[in-house]
Amino acid sequence: MEIPPELITFLRSCVHAAALTGAGVSKESGLRTFRDPMDGLWAEYRPEDLATPEAFERTPELVWEFYAARRLKAGEVQPNPGHLALVEMERHVPHFTLVTQNVDGLHRRAGSKCVVELHGNITRVKCSHGCGVFTEWEEISGKAPTCPACGEKLRPDVVWFGEILPGDELATAVQAARTCSIFFSIGTSGLVQPAASLPFLAKQNGAMIVEVNTEETPLTPSVDYFFQGKSGEILPELVKAAWG
Ligand code: BV8
């Protein structure tokens, strides 16, 4: 893979970097992306139809099954070289913020320290009534578990379509996009807002934009460097070229 020397030099001297990852970064670990056709039990569903408060209201057991299957799968797979390369990048860049849209928890399992989970985490559940109860999935049982404090339904601690993102995480992500000198968009189709606006915010602040994706996206025309291919192959090469 040809890596422009000026990018390597820039990376080496970089103090503030940020990255936005999407489902594509977990693909080589064996997790399906949202754009992949659903298979098995979920073949006749679209994630967007299940990842909504309305779906949960209407059929909580089905939504629980959907998340239980994804959580099980996420627990069975391992972080891939793309996740590990981002851990290495965090070691070399003084201020590195990893913003992820993924709920699979693989960045933290890979060893990334500063991870901003914009859309929550599939291993946590919370009270749907907002009484503040959060717990780990292992603590619960039953098809539609209820909150031990208030008796309302528990739900996966993820952000569904039509729900607002957690304020602190979004503020941290926006701050990182505003202050970084290089912004990576990795394995995301860039279709879901407000996450998809972050690279454009970084560009407005004058940051260099680098995209890694197996196909072009709406962001591609605006980036400084587009590496077409698998993040599990491209990221380790970028990190090796910059820091050996
Ligand atoms: C909000 C958690 C506002 C759950 C997720 C019209 C109607 C309704 C809503 C909207 C609308 N228009 C805009 C909206 C807002 C909506 C939105 O953006 N909708 C889109 C679909 C148009 N956004 C929201 O609803 C957000 N909230 O706006 O609130 C509001 C304000 C005030 C008051 C109330 C509300 C909330 C969005 C969060 C939704 N939750 N996840 C769960 O995971 O189950 S989103 C979910 O889908 C993911 O988290 C992720 O963000 C998104 C999928 O995107 P990607 O990660 O990019 O994955 P995708 O499969 O699309 O792409 C994978 C890419 O990887 C591809 O490009 C592929 O080429 C590439 N790839 C594949 N393999 C590899 C690879 N790249 C590299 N290497 C490889 N090996």
Side-chain angles (χ1 to χ4, degrees):
M1 176 180 86
E2 175 61 28
I3 304 176
E6 63 276 13
L7 171 59
I8 297 305
T9 311
F10 193 85
L11 251 180
R12 279 195 191 123
S13 64
C14 174
V15 175
H16 289 249
L20 172 69
T21 64
V25 83
S26 297
K27 177 82 184 256
E28 290 152 89
S29 292
L31 294 186
R32 194 184 48 74
T33 72
F34 281 71
R35 300 286 156 257
D36 289 334
M38 300 268 270
D39 52 10
L41 182 60
W42 309 107
E44 70 271 28
Y45 293 97
R46 289 184 331 132
E48 291 82 338
D49 300 335
L50 292 167
T52 66
E54 296 74 23
F56 186 66
E57 262 322 295
R58 206 175 40 247
T59 53
E61 290 81 3
L62 179 70
V63 172
W64 267 111
E65 248 182 272
F66 174 56
Y67 281 94
R70 284 177 60 199
R71 174 182 169 272
L72 204 61
K73 183 73 181 157
E76 287 167 354
V77 303
Q78 296 303 323
N80 67 61
H83 294 105
L84 298 172
L86 289 168
V87 176
E88 198 54 26
M89 193 179 286
E90 184 179 42
R91 287 198 186 110
H92 292 287
V93 177
H95 300 285
F96 181 65
T97 306
L98 176 50
V99 181
T100 188
Q101 301 170 91
N102 299 337
V103 297
D104 57 35
L106 287 179
H107 283 303
R108 283 222 172 89
R109 281 180 49 201
S112 289
K113 300 276 181 293
C114 178
V115 182
V116 179
E117 293 179 321
L118 276 186
H119 295 158
N121 187 309
I122 205 166
T123 62
R124 284 194 312 267
V125 296
K126 67 179 182 182
C127 174
S128 59
H129 201 53
C131 78
V133 165
F134 285 85
T135 180
E136 293 307 314
W137 200 300
E138 287 74 22
E139 313 297 316
I140 60 172
S141 61
K143 284 206 172 290
T146 51
C147 172
C150 72
E152 290 290 337
K153 289 199 293 285
L154 286 175
R155 55 165 281 181
D157 184 18
V158 297
V159 179
W160 283 326
F161 288 99
E163 294 187 320
I164 49 176
L165 276 61
D168 292 351
E169 281 77 2
L170 184 55
T172 304
V174 166
Q175 179 61 10
R178 285 211 173 109
T179 52
C180 67
S181 49
I182 187 166
F183 188 101
F184 292 87
S185 179
I186 305 163
T188 179
S189 56
L191 299 174
V192 174
Q193 295 296 350
S197 300
L198 290 170
F200 293 98
L201 204 55
K203 188 171 178 65
Q204 275 167 20
N205 109 45
M208 177 187 284
I209 312 296
V210 179
E211 183 176 34
V212 178
N213 199 307
T214 45
E215 60 192 31
E216 295 199 359
T217 71
L219 175 68
T220 308
S222 310
V223 303
D224 297 285
Y225 297 99
F226 174 57
F227 292 97
Q228 182 152 12
K230 295 180 177 179
S231 49
E233 294 167 7
I234 289 169
L235 292 176
E237 286 203 40
L238 273 175
V239 168
K240 186 163 177 286
W243 296 290

Coordinates of all heavy atoms in Angstrom, one line a residue, residues 9 12 16 27 32-33 37 43 63 69 71 83 100 109 111 123 130 137 141 145-146 168 177 180 191 206:
T9 N 4.9 11.9 7.9 CA 5.6 13.0 8.6 C 4.6 13.7 9.5 O 4.8 14.0 10.7 CB 6.2 14.0 7.6 OG1 7.0 13.3 6.7 CG2 7.1 15.0 8.3
R12 N 3.5 11.6 12.5 CA 4.6 11.5 13.5 C 4.6 12.7 14.4 O 4.9 12.7 15.6 CB 6.0 11.4 12.8 CG 6.3 10.0 12.4 CD 7.8 9.8 12.1 NE 8.0 8.5 11.4 CZ 8.5 8.3 10.2 NH1 9.0 9.4 9.6 NH2 8.6 7.2 9.6
H16 N -2.7 16.3 18.4 CA -4.1 16.0 18.7 C -4.7 15.2 17.5 O -4.6 15.7 16.4 CB -4.9 17.3 18.7 CG -4.7 18.1 20.0 ND1 -5.6 18.3 21.0 CD2 -3.5 18.8 20.4 CE1 -5.1 19.1 21.9 NE2 -3.8 19.4 21.6
K27 N -15.9 -5.6 11.3 CA -16.3 -6.6 10.3 C -15.3 -7.8 10.3 O -15.7 -8.9 10.3 CB -16.4 -6.0 8.9 CG -16.7 -6.9 7.7 CD -18.1 -7.2 7.6 CE -18.4 -8.2 6.5 NZ -19.0 -7.6 5.3
R32 N -21.4 -8.5 11.8 CA -22.1 -8.0 10.7 C -22.2 -6.5 10.8 O -22.3 -5.9 11.9 CB -23.5 -8.6 10.7 CG -24.3 -8.5 9.5 CD -25.7 -9.0 9.7 NE -26.3 -8.4 10.9 CZ -26.7 -7.2 11.1 NH1 -26.7 -6.4 10.0 NH2 -27.2 -6.8 12.2
T33 N -22.1 -5.8 9.6 CA -22.3 -4.4 9.7 C -23.8 -4.1 9.4 O -24.5 -5.0 9.2 CB -21.5 -3.7 8.5 OG1 -22.2 -4.0 7.3 CG2 -20.1 -4.1 8.5
P37 N -26.6 -7.6 4.6 CA -27.9 -8.2 4.7 C -28.0 -9.0 6.0 O -27.0 -9.6 6.4 CB -28.1 -9.1 3.5 CG -26.7 -9.3 3.0 CD -25.9 -8.1 3.4
A43 N -33.2 -12.3 9.2 CA -33.1 -12.1 7.7 C -34.3 -11.2 7.3 O -34.1 -10.3 6.4 CB -33.2 -13.4 7.0
V63 N -37.1 -7.3 20.5 CA -35.9 -6.4 20.5 C -34.9 -6.9 21.5 O -33.7 -6.9 21.2 CB -36.4 -4.9 20.9 CG1 -35.2 -4.0 21.2 CG2 -37.3 -4.4 19.8
A69 N -28.8 -11.6 20.9 CA -28.0 -12.4 19.9 C -26.8 -11.6 19.5 O -25.7 -12.2 19.4 CB -28.9 -12.6 18.7
R71 N -25.2 -9.4 21.4 CA -24.3 -9.3 22.5 C -23.5 -10.6 22.7 O -22.3 -10.6 22.9 CB -25.1 -9.0 23.8 CG -24.3 -9.1 25.1 CD -25.2 -8.9 26.3 NE -24.4 -9.2 27.5 CZ -24.4 -10.4 28.0 NH1 -25.0 -11.4 27.4 NH2 -23.7 -10.6 29.1
H83 N -8.5 -2.8 15.3 CA -8.7 -2.3 16.7 C -7.3 -2.1 17.3 O -7.1 -1.1 18.0 CB -9.5 -3.3 17.5 CG -10.9 -3.4 17.1 ND1 -11.4 -4.6 16.4 CD2 -12.0 -2.7 17.2 CE1 -12.7 -4.5 16.1 NE2 -13.1 -3.3 16.6
T100 N -16.5 6.1 18.8 CA -17.1 5.0 18.0 C -18.6 5.0 18.0 O -19.2 5.4 19.0 CB -16.6 3.6 18.6 OG1 -17.0 2.6 17.7 CG2 -17.1 3.4 20.0
R109 N -12.0 -3.6 24.7 CA -11.4 -4.9 24.8 C -10.1 -5.0 24.2 O -9.2 -5.7 24.6 CB -12.4 -6.0 24.3 CG -13.5 -6.3 25.3 CD -14.4 -7.4 24.7 NE -13.7 -8.6 24.2 CZ -14.3 -9.5 23.4 NH1 -15.5 -9.3 22.9 NH2 -13.6 -10.5 23.0
G111 N -8.0 -2.6 24.1 CA -7.0 -1.9 25.0 C -7.0 -0.4 24.8 O -6.3 0.3 25.4
T123 N -23.3 -4.3 26.2 CA -23.1 -5.1 27.4 C -23.9 -4.5 28.6 O -24.0 -5.2 29.7 CB -21.6 -5.3 27.8 OG1 -21.1 -4.0 28.1 CG2 -20.8 -5.9 26.7
G130 N -35.8 5.6 33.2 CA -34.9 6.6 33.5 C -34.7 6.8 35.0 O -34.4 7.9 35.5
W137 N -25.5 -7.0 31.9 CA -26.5 -8.0 31.3 C -26.6 -9.3 32.1 O -27.7 -9.8 32.4 CB -26.1 -8.3 29.9 CG -27.2 -8.9 29.1 CD1 -28.0 -10.0 29.4 CD2 -27.8 -8.3 27.9 NE1 -29.0 -10.1 28.4 CE2 -28.8 -9.1 27.5 CE3 -27.5 -7.2 27.1 CZ2 -29.6 -8.9 26.3 CZ3 -28.2 -7.0 26.0 CH2 -29.3 -7.8 25.6
S141 N -32.5 -11.5 34.0 CA -33.0 -12.8 33.4 C -34.4 -12.5 32.8 O -35.0 -11.5 33.1 CB -33.0 -13.8 34.4 OG -33.9 -13.4 35.5
P145 N -36.9 -8.2 31.1 CA -36.6 -8.0 32.5 C -37.1 -6.6 33.0 O -37.2 -5.7 32.2 CB -35.1 -8.1 32.5 CG -34.6 -8.0 31.2 CD -35.7 -8.4 30.3
T146 N -37.4 -6.6 34.2 CA -37.9 -5.3 34.8 C -36.9 -4.7 35.8 O -36.1 -5.4 36.3 CB -39.2 -5.5 35.5 OG1 -39.0 -6.6 36.5 CG2 -40.3 -5.9 34.6
D168 N -22.6 14.1 27.4 CA -21.2 14.2 27.6 C -20.4 13.6 26.5 O -19.4 14.2 26.0 CB -20.8 13.5 28.9 CG -21.4 14.2 30.2 OD1 -21.9 15.3 30.0 OD2 -21.4 13.6 31.3
A177 N -13.3 16.8 17.5 CA -13.3 17.2 16.1 C -12.9 18.6 15.9 O -12.3 19.0 14.9 CB -14.8 17.0 15.6
C180 N -8.7 18.7 16.8 CA -7.7 17.8 16.3 C -7.0 18.3 15.1 O -7.6 19.2 14.4 CB -8.3 16.4 16.0 SG -9.5 16.5 14.6
L191 N -23.7 7.7 7.3 CA -25.1 8.0 7.0 C -25.9 8.4 8.2 O -27.0 8.9 8.1 CB -25.8 6.8 6.3 CG -25.2 6.3 5.0 CD1 -25.8 5.0 4.6 CD2 -25.3 7.4 3.9
G206 N -9.9 22.8 10.1 CA -8.6 22.8 9.4 C -7.9 21.5 9.5 O -6.7 21.4 9.2

